Amino acid sequence: MTDGHDWDYFTGGTWHSPAEGEMIESFDPTHAKPWARVPVCGASDVARAVASAQAAFADGPFADMRATERGRLLARMATAVRRNADRLAQVECTDAGKSLSGMKEALTGWLTDSFDYYAGLADKIEGAVIPADVPNILNYTRREPFGVVACITAWNSPLLIAFWKMAAAIAAGNTVVLKPSEFASVSTLVLMDVLADADLPAGLINVVTGGADTGAALIKHPDVRLVSFTGGVAGGRAVAKQAAEAISPVILELGGKSPQLVLVDADLELAARGIVGGIFPPAGQSCIAGSRVLVHKRLHDELVERISALTRPARIGDPSDPQTHIGPISNQPHFERVLRAIEQAKRDGASCVMGGKPVNPEGCSGWFIAPTLFTNVTPDMAVAREEVFGPVLAIIAVEDDAEAVHLANASEYGLAAGIWTRDSARAIQIADRIGAGTVYINTYFGSAPQSPVGGFRQSGYGRENGIEGLMAFSQTKSVWLATRPQQPEPFA
Ligand code: NAD
């Protein structure tokens, strides 16, 4: 594999070895084997990356670039990614265990649409003329970029998360320092190689790699003006504290324990398909995985039967094989964490009616867990409350819709929710009452660059995608112009 080598970090348009020379191994989760090494960037490496981003923001071609040109630049990025979709998909498959065919399709389709969407918006960032109630004044607002923004990403979908952040940040006129997860950094580094085709100004996008210490050095750097973070609640809390010291605004896209409400009049086959598709294909490693089913007690047994019947034939294995339905858990610490959560659910008295253990697909020696179904789950159990981020579905029988809504909201998380019912009016009433950033009705898992995503409660704050996602990367300036200049005596 050509990209399986020692990588440098990328800043100012060129590659650099880490000052301390420290490297970490990146593992192929399908075979549990190291396949590449990435730098651990220390404070001086981070400072170099921020300096490059600051220089690109303050002078040079990007600083003077017209908004329409910024849009063209984003469109060139989309083209470069599409042209190199096979290479990027292969790396994301090897490094993070993502489906190879799924990634190829996404990288030539909806995933790169984000660049096109924000390319189109770059020259449509409008201010307003404000009717400030003051005589002889023209008051208007402008939306201006922050400067250098830090984009810190999770391991489950490194490219998707990076694209969403970068596209909006650049459209708004910022320069970027990306820090991917230490568990899956290679695709973000390969992306920098691929974007050489897009003729980007040096320093516009920089990548530093490493773990929490590298992230902390970046957030604390005085020239970083905004932090956009995707990760877990613990990481998000730490990042928000660090950013508070620097008085930097933060966008937090955190975890979830998203409920699937199956109402008494649901189309059960539709619901079962949506529920299975809403968790198992990425082995539960999606922030919006619908991991908690709240089903009317009358439908419970039939729903469990249908979910089991749909899941049983799923082929678990090598994500580069187009026949594979479910790939590996992306890294070993997380594999062990998911297994611990399964054991905890068993100890707590939930009934494991499917899966519940690691599996060894033919030709693979990595980290695989069978799709797992728990029934007899009560709302107080950890499996009903805590994000597992693995192929683990907890099913809770409820008395009625009111209890389903109550339990849906009885969570520290509020990222997404699904509602399954034949009654659209009822669905809309319930959607209004669910505390979640995204509510799906008779569908699950969709996303579009036009539609904002983000969390309620501990699932985070701020939004990505859509016009809101663009606005999050800009700040308002209010300009006052005297139309009849005359100042009163200051001390009259
Ligand atoms: P994580 O919080 O452990 O790490 C995320 C990133 O933050 C990594 O790059 C990591 O190195 C960095 N980091 C961690 N602690 C830090 C600290 N103290 N200071 C600075 N940087 C720090 O999360 P993860 O395990 O990589 O990802 C899984 C989590 O991400 C899950 O909870 C999942 O739900 C969430 N996620 C959310 C979304 C969303 O859009 N809401 C999308 C994908 C994943």
Short mmCIF file of all heavy atoms in Angstrom, two decimals, residues 344-386:
data_model
loop_
_atom_site.label_atom_id
_atom_site.label_comp_id
_atom_site.label_asym_id
_atom_site.label_seq_id
_atom_site.Cartn_x
_atom_site.Cartn_y
_atom_site.Cartn_z
N GLN A 344 -21.16 -5.20 30.67
CA GLN A 344 -21.90 -4.44 31.70
C GLN A 344 -23.41 -4.62 31.52
O GLN A 344 -24.15 -4.83 32.48
CB GLN A 344 -21.53 -2.96 31.59
CG GLN A 344 -22.23 -2.05 32.59
CD GLN A 344 -21.73 -2.29 34.01
OE1 GLN A 344 -20.53 -2.32 34.25
NE2 GLN A 344 -22.66 -2.48 34.94
N ALA A 345 -23.86 -4.55 30.27
CA ALA A 345 -25.31 -4.71 30.00
C ALA A 345 -25.78 -6.09 30.44
O ALA A 345 -26.86 -6.23 31.03
CB ALA A 345 -25.58 -4.50 28.51
N LYS A 346 -24.95 -7.11 30.21
CA LYS A 346 -25.32 -8.48 30.64
C LYS A 346 -25.39 -8.53 32.16
O LYS A 346 -26.33 -9.08 32.73
CB LYS A 346 -24.29 -9.49 30.11
CG LYS A 346 -24.34 -9.69 28.60
CD LYS A 346 -23.24 -10.66 28.16
CE LYS A 346 -23.22 -10.82 26.65
NZ LYS A 346 -22.04 -11.53 26.16
N ARG A 347 -24.39 -7.95 32.81
CA ARG A 347 -24.37 -7.95 34.29
C ARG A 347 -25.58 -7.20 34.85
O ARG A 347 -26.12 -7.57 35.88
CB ARG A 347 -23.09 -7.30 34.82
CG ARG A 347 -21.93 -8.25 34.94
CD ARG A 347 -20.85 -7.69 35.87
NE ARG A 347 -20.38 -6.37 35.49
CZ ARG A 347 -19.49 -6.14 34.54
NH1 ARG A 347 -18.95 -7.15 33.86
NH2 ARG A 347 -19.11 -4.91 34.24
N ASP A 348 -26.00 -6.15 34.13
CA ASP A 348 -27.13 -5.34 34.61
C ASP A 348 -28.47 -6.05 34.42
O ASP A 348 -29.51 -5.53 34.85
CB ASP A 348 -27.16 -3.98 33.89
CG ASP A 348 -26.05 -3.06 34.36
OD1 ASP A 348 -25.45 -3.35 35.42
OD2 ASP A 348 -25.77 -2.06 33.67
N GLY A 349 -28.47 -7.18 33.71
CA GLY A 349 -29.70 -7.96 33.58
C GLY A 349 -30.41 -7.82 32.25
O GLY A 349 -31.51 -8.36 32.06
N ALA A 350 -29.81 -7.10 31.27
CA ALA A 350 -30.43 -7.04 29.94
C ALA A 350 -30.24 -8.40 29.26
O ALA A 350 -29.29 -9.12 29.55
CB ALA A 350 -29.75 -5.95 29.11
N SER A 351 -31.21 -8.76 28.38
CA SER A 351 -31.11 -10.05 27.69
C SER A 351 -30.44 -9.86 26.33
O SER A 351 -30.94 -9.10 25.50
CB SER A 351 -32.50 -10.65 27.44
OG SER A 351 -33.24 -10.65 28.63
N CYS A 352 -29.34 -10.57 26.14
CA CYS A 352 -28.63 -10.47 24.85
C CYS A 352 -29.25 -11.49 23.90
O CYS A 352 -29.01 -12.68 24.04
CB CYS A 352 -27.14 -10.74 25.07
SG CYS A 352 -26.17 -10.49 23.58
N VAL A 353 -30.06 -11.00 22.96
CA VAL A 353 -30.77 -11.94 22.07
C VAL A 353 -30.05 -12.12 20.73
O VAL A 353 -30.47 -12.93 19.91
CB VAL A 353 -32.25 -11.51 21.85
CG1 VAL A 353 -33.02 -11.54 23.15
CG2 VAL A 353 -32.33 -10.12 21.21
N MET A 354 -28.98 -11.38 20.53
CA MET A 354 -28.17 -11.56 19.31
C MET A 354 -26.78 -11.00 19.55
O MET A 354 -26.64 -9.98 20.23
CB MET A 354 -28.84 -10.82 18.15
CG MET A 354 -28.02 -10.83 16.88
SD MET A 354 -28.86 -10.03 15.52
CE MET A 354 -29.85 -11.36 14.97
N GLY A 355 -25.78 -11.65 19.01
CA GLY A 355 -24.40 -11.14 19.07
C GLY A 355 -23.85 -11.15 20.48
O GLY A 355 -23.87 -12.17 21.16
N GLY A 356 -23.28 -10.02 20.87
CA GLY A 356 -22.76 -9.90 22.24
C GLY A 356 -21.34 -10.39 22.38
O GLY A 356 -20.87 -10.60 23.50
N LYS A 357 -20.64 -10.59 21.28
CA LYS A 357 -19.26 -11.10 21.40
C LYS A 357 -18.42 -10.70 20.17
O LYS A 357 -18.97 -10.36 19.12
CB LYS A 357 -19.28 -12.61 21.56
CG LYS A 357 -20.06 -13.35 20.49
CD LYS A 357 -20.06 -14.83 20.82
CE LYS A 357 -20.65 -15.70 19.74
NZ LYS A 357 -21.94 -15.34 19.19
N PRO A 358 -17.09 -10.82 20.32
CA PRO A 358 -16.24 -10.56 19.15
C PRO A 358 -16.40 -11.67 18.11
O PRO A 358 -16.81 -12.78 18.46
CB PRO A 358 -14.82 -10.59 19.72
CG PRO A 358 -14.94 -10.80 21.18
CD PRO A 358 -16.34 -11.15 21.52
N VAL A 359 -16.11 -11.37 16.88
CA VAL A 359 -16.12 -12.41 15.84
C VAL A 359 -14.81 -12.33 15.05
O VAL A 359 -14.14 -11.30 15.04
CB VAL A 359 -17.31 -12.24 14.86
CG1 VAL A 359 -18.61 -12.72 15.49
CG2 VAL A 359 -17.45 -10.82 14.36
N ASN A 360 -14.48 -13.45 14.40
CA ASN A 360 -13.24 -13.51 13.60
C ASN A 360 -13.58 -13.86 12.16
O ASN A 360 -13.54 -15.02 11.78
CB ASN A 360 -12.31 -14.60 14.17
CG ASN A 360 -11.90 -14.28 15.58
OD1 ASN A 360 -11.34 -13.22 15.84
ND2 ASN A 360 -12.21 -15.18 16.50
N PRO A 361 -13.92 -12.87 11.36
CA PRO A 361 -14.27 -13.18 9.97
C PRO A 361 -13.08 -13.79 9.23
O PRO A 361 -11.92 -13.49 9.55
CB PRO A 361 -14.64 -11.82 9.38
CG PRO A 361 -14.76 -10.88 10.53
CD PRO A 361 -13.94 -11.44 11.64
N GLU A 362 -13.39 -14.61 8.24
CA GLU A 362 -12.34 -15.28 7.47
C GLU A 362 -11.38 -14.27 6.84
O GLU A 362 -11.82 -13.25 6.29
CB GLU A 362 -13.01 -16.09 6.37
CG GLU A 362 -12.19 -17.31 5.98
CD GLU A 362 -12.84 -18.01 4.81
OE1 GLU A 362 -14.08 -18.15 4.81
OE2 GLU A 362 -12.09 -18.38 3.89
N GLY A 363 -10.12 -14.53 6.99
CA GLY A 363 -9.11 -13.68 6.36
C GLY A 363 -8.82 -12.40 7.13
O GLY A 363 -8.04 -11.57 6.68
N CYS A 364 -9.46 -12.23 8.29
CA CYS A 364 -9.25 -11.00 9.08
C CYS A 364 -8.73 -11.40 10.46
O CYS A 364 -9.12 -12.43 11.00
CB CYS A 364 -10.56 -10.23 9.26
SG CYS A 364 -11.40 -9.83 7.74
N SER A 365 -7.89 -10.54 11.02
CA SER A 365 -7.42 -10.85 12.37
C SER A 365 -7.61 -9.62 13.27
O SER A 365 -6.91 -9.45 14.25
CB SER A 365 -5.94 -11.24 12.31
OG SER A 365 -5.26 -10.31 11.46
N GLY A 366 -8.54 -8.76 12.87
CA GLY A 366 -8.69 -7.48 13.57
C GLY A 366 -9.82 -7.45 14.57
O GLY A 366 -10.18 -8.47 15.18
N TRP A 367 -10.41 -6.27 14.74
CA TRP A 367 -11.31 -5.98 15.84
C TRP A 367 -12.77 -5.95 15.36
O TRP A 367 -13.25 -4.88 14.94
CB TRP A 367 -10.90 -4.66 16.47
CG TRP A 367 -9.46 -4.66 16.90
CD1 TRP A 367 -8.86 -5.55 17.74
CD2 TRP A 367 -8.43 -3.76 16.48
NE1 TRP A 367 -7.53 -5.25 17.89
CE2 TRP A 367 -7.23 -4.15 17.14
CE3 TRP A 367 -8.39 -2.63 15.64
CZ2 TRP A 367 -6.03 -3.48 16.97
CZ3 TRP A 367 -7.18 -1.96 15.47
CH2 TRP A 367 -6.03 -2.39 16.13
N PHE A 368 -13.42 -7.10 15.43
CA PHE A 368 -14.79 -7.20 14.93
C PHE A 368 -15.72 -7.61 16.06
O PHE A 368 -15.37 -8.46 16.89
CB PHE A 368 -14.88 -8.25 13.81
CG PHE A 368 -14.14 -7.85 12.57
CD1 PHE A 368 -12.77 -8.10 12.45
CD2 PHE A 368 -14.80 -7.22 11.52
CE1 PHE A 368 -12.08 -7.73 11.30
CE2 PHE A 368 -14.11 -6.84 10.37
CZ PHE A 368 -12.75 -7.10 10.26
N ILE A 369 -16.91 -7.03 16.07
CA ILE A 369 -17.91 -7.38 17.08
C ILE A 369 -19.22 -7.66 16.36
O ILE A 369 -19.63 -6.90 15.46
CB ILE A 369 -18.08 -6.26 18.12
CG1 ILE A 369 -16.77 -6.08 18.92
CG2 ILE A 369 -19.24 -6.56 19.07
CD1 ILE A 369 -16.79 -4.96 19.95
N ALA A 370 -19.87 -8.75 16.74
CA ALA A 370 -21.14 -9.12 16.09
C ALA A 370 -22.21 -8.08 16.43
O ALA A 370 -22.23 -7.55 17.55
CB ALA A 370 -21.59 -10.48 16.61
N PRO A 371 -23.10 -7.77 15.48
CA PRO A 371 -24.21 -6.89 15.80
C PRO A 371 -24.99 -7.45 16.99
O PRO A 371 -25.31 -8.64 17.01
CB PRO A 371 -25.06 -6.86 14.53
CG PRO A 371 -24.44 -7.79 13.57
CD PRO A 371 -23.14 -8.28 14.11
N THR A 372 -25.24 -6.61 17.95
CA THR A 372 -25.71 -7.06 19.25
C THR A 372 -27.05 -6.41 19.59
O THR A 372 -27.21 -5.19 19.44
CB THR A 372 -24.65 -6.70 20.31
OG1 THR A 372 -23.44 -7.39 19.99
CG2 THR A 372 -25.08 -7.05 21.72
N LEU A 373 -27.96 -7.25 20.08
CA LEU A 373 -29.31 -6.79 20.38
C LEU A 373 -29.62 -7.12 21.84
O LEU A 373 -29.52 -8.28 22.23
CB LEU A 373 -30.26 -7.57 19.46
CG LEU A 373 -31.58 -6.98 19.05
CD1 LEU A 373 -31.35 -5.63 18.40
CD2 LEU A 373 -32.26 -7.93 18.06
N PHE A 374 -29.97 -6.09 22.59
CA PHE A 374 -30.37 -6.31 23.99
C PHE A 374 -31.86 -6.00 24.14
O PHE A 374 -32.32 -4.93 23.72
CB PHE A 374 -29.59 -5.41 24.94
CG PHE A 374 -28.22 -5.92 25.27
CD1 PHE A 374 -27.10 -5.30 24.75
CD2 PHE A 374 -28.06 -7.02 26.10
CE1 PHE A 374 -25.83 -5.76 25.04
CE2 PHE A 374 -26.78 -7.49 26.41
CZ PHE A 374 -25.67 -6.86 25.88
N THR A 375 -32.59 -6.94 24.76
CA THR A 375 -33.98 -6.65 25.17
C THR A 375 -34.01 -6.65 26.70
O THR A 375 -32.97 -6.84 27.34
CB THR A 375 -34.96 -7.69 24.61
OG1 THR A 375 -34.55 -8.98 25.08
CG2 THR A 375 -34.97 -7.69 23.08
N ASN A 376 -35.23 -6.48 27.24
CA ASN A 376 -35.36 -6.35 28.71
C ASN A 376 -34.42 -5.28 29.26
O ASN A 376 -33.82 -5.45 30.32
CB ASN A 376 -35.10 -7.69 29.41
CG ASN A 376 -36.21 -8.66 29.16
OD1 ASN A 376 -37.39 -8.28 29.15
ND2 ASN A 376 -35.87 -9.92 28.92
N VAL A 377 -34.31 -4.22 28.50
CA VAL A 377 -33.46 -3.10 28.94
C VAL A 377 -34.34 -2.14 29.73
O VAL A 377 -35.48 -1.86 29.33
CB VAL A 377 -32.85 -2.38 27.72
CG1 VAL A 377 -32.11 -1.12 28.15
CG2 VAL A 377 -31.93 -3.32 26.95
N THR A 378 -33.84 -1.67 30.85
CA THR A 378 -34.58 -0.64 31.60
C THR A 378 -33.81 0.68 31.49
O THR A 378 -32.60 0.68 31.28
CB THR A 378 -34.74 -1.05 33.09
OG1 THR A 378 -33.45 -1.33 33.62
CG2 THR A 378 -35.64 -2.26 33.23
N PRO A 379 -34.56 1.80 31.61
CA PRO A 379 -33.94 3.10 31.32
C PRO A 379 -32.75 3.44 32.21
O PRO A 379 -31.92 4.27 31.83
CB PRO A 379 -35.08 4.10 31.55
CG PRO A 379 -36.34 3.30 31.41
CD PRO A 379 -36.01 1.91 31.87
N ASP A 380 -32.66 2.80 33.38
CA ASP A 380 -31.54 3.13 34.27
C ASP A 380 -30.25 2.41 33.90
O ASP A 380 -29.17 2.76 34.38
CB ASP A 380 -31.93 2.78 35.72
CG ASP A 380 -32.34 1.32 35.83
OD1 ASP A 380 -33.11 0.86 34.95
OD2 ASP A 380 -31.86 0.63 36.75
N MET A 381 -30.32 1.39 33.05
CA MET A 381 -29.11 0.63 32.72
C MET A 381 -28.13 1.48 31.91
O MET A 381 -28.55 2.31 31.09
CB MET A 381 -29.46 -0.61 31.89
CG MET A 381 -30.21 -1.67 32.66
SD MET A 381 -30.58 -3.06 31.55
CE MET A 381 -31.62 -4.05 32.64
N ALA A 382 -26.85 1.19 32.07
CA ALA A 382 -25.82 1.94 31.33
C ALA A 382 -26.06 1.83 29.82
O ALA A 382 -25.89 2.80 29.08
CB ALA A 382 -24.43 1.42 31.69
N VAL A 383 -26.50 0.65 29.35
CA VAL A 383 -26.67 0.46 27.90
C VAL A 383 -27.81 1.32 27.34
O VAL A 383 -27.88 1.57 26.14
CB VAL A 383 -26.86 -1.05 27.57
CG1 VAL A 383 -28.26 -1.54 27.97
CG2 VAL A 383 -26.55 -1.34 26.12
N ALA A 384 -28.68 1.80 28.24
CA ALA A 384 -29.76 2.69 27.81
C ALA A 384 -29.36 4.16 27.93
O ALA A 384 -30.03 5.02 27.37
CB ALA A 384 -31.00 2.45 28.66
N ARG A 385 -28.29 4.43 28.67
CA ARG A 385 -27.95 5.83 28.97
C ARG A 385 -26.67 6.28 28.29
O ARG A 385 -26.54 7.44 27.90
CB ARG A 385 -27.78 6.01 30.48
CG ARG A 385 -29.08 5.95 31.27
CD ARG A 385 -28.85 6.23 32.76
NE ARG A 385 -28.08 5.18 33.40
CZ ARG A 385 -26.81 5.27 33.79
NH1 ARG A 385 -26.14 6.40 33.63
NH2 ARG A 385 -26.19 4.25 34.34
N GLU A 386 -25.68 5.38 28.21
CA GLU A 386 -24.34 5.81 27.79
C GLU A 386 -24.08 5.47 26.32
O GLU A 386 -24.52 4.42 25.84
CB GLU A 386 -23.29 5.13 28.68
CG GLU A 386 -23.36 5.67 30.10
CD GLU A 386 -22.52 4.86 31.07
OE1 GLU A 386 -21.73 4.00 30.63
OE2 GLU A 386 -22.70 5.08 32.29
#
